[in-house]
């Protein structure tokens, strides 16, 4: 009986450690995406940079579709680079309360949420839940035009 209790404990605790390791591996973001924090967002904006925030979750199918078909497409990645847009991912996979509060501020019950924060203290641009390349490229060009004219 004691072996059964100890074996079960090791089995369940081992799974927790393994899932924690997978979570930390998932926190390493691909490409030039940065992990979102409100402080990092504020610091980038104060330095005059435009920031795109992808509020996402590992279990969100719409998020994964938008990432694969739009945000990671060659045209959109190139436009982000050309306009020096800082890209951040706000991971809501485990229901982060800070991200929950921001979602609520934008009137969203959950992910996906895509927000482009212009560098010059303008109102953030909120994208619809389903993205298209042309929609994202158009907004990036609009923001870039405003920044150049100022």
């Amino acid at each position: 009986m004691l072996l059964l209790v100890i074996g079960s404990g090791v089995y369940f605790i081992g799974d927790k450690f393994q899932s924690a390791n997978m979570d930390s591996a998932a926190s390493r973001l691909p490409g030039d995406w940065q992990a979102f924090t409100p402080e990092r967002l504020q610091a980038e904006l104060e330095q005059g940079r435009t920031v795109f925030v992808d509020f996402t979750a590992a279990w969100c199918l719409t998020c994964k579709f938008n990432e694969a078909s739009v945000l990671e497409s060659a045209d959109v990645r190139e436009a982000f680079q050309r306009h020096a847009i800082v890209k951040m991912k706000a991971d809501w996979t485990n229901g982060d309360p800070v991200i929950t509060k921001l979602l609520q501020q934008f009137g969203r019950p959950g992910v996906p949420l895509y927000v482009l924060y212009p560098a010059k203290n303008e109102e953030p641009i909120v994208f619809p839940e389903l993205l298209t390349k042309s929609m994202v490229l158009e907004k990036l060009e609009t923001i870039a035009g405003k920044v150049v004219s100022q």
Side-chain angles (χ1 to χ4, degrees):
M1 184 66 120
L2 184 60
L3 280 173
L4 182 60
V5 171
I6 293 172
S8 297
V10 168
Y11 175 78
F12 289 112
I13 291 172
D15 278 352
K16 296 293 180 198
F17 286 125
Q18 185 177 9
S19 84
N21 287 340
M22 287 193 311
D23 286 344
S24 67
S27 70
R28 290 184 221 114
L29 301 174
D32 51 355
W33 289 92
Q34 299 177 25
F36 170 84
T37 64
E39 297 80 18
R40 182 176 282 167
L41 171 63
Q42 193 59 42
E44 295 292 349
L45 293 173
E46 286 173 0
Q47 292 179 18
R49 295 188 181 110
T50 299
V51 180
F52 181 87
V53 181
D54 173 5
F55 292 84
T56 187
W59 43 260
C60 174
L61 296 178
T62 305
C63 302
K64 297 303 173 195
F65 176 79
N66 286 334
E67 288 167 12
S69 64
V70 177
L71 297 177
E72 292 302 325
S73 70
D75 294 342
V76 173
R77 279 194 328 237
E78 193 275 329
F80 278 130
Q81 275 188 324
R82 184 174 67 246
H83 299 301
I85 308 288
V86 176
K87 302 185 310 184
M88 293 186 181
K89 282 201 186 277
D91 187 358
W92 198 55
T93 299
N94 297 317
D96 182 322
V98 172
I99 294 171
T100 301
K101 185 176 177 182
L102 282 168
L103 290 169
Q104 291 170 348
Q105 286 176 355
F106 284 104
R108 294 286 176 87
V111 293
L113 172 63
Y114 306 99
V115 182
L116 183 62
Y117 291 88
K120 301 295 180 191
N121 293 326
E122 295 177 34
E123 286 297 309
I125 297 169
V126 179
F127 289 86
E129 292 179 21
L130 287 175
L131 297 177
T132 65
K133 288 181 199 176
S134 61
M135 173 192 315
V136 174
L137 292 172
E138 177 185 321
K139 292 296 183 191
L140 293 179
E141 293 298 326
T142 301
I143 290 299
K146 287 182 182 178
V147 170
V148 168
S149 67
Q150 291 179 356

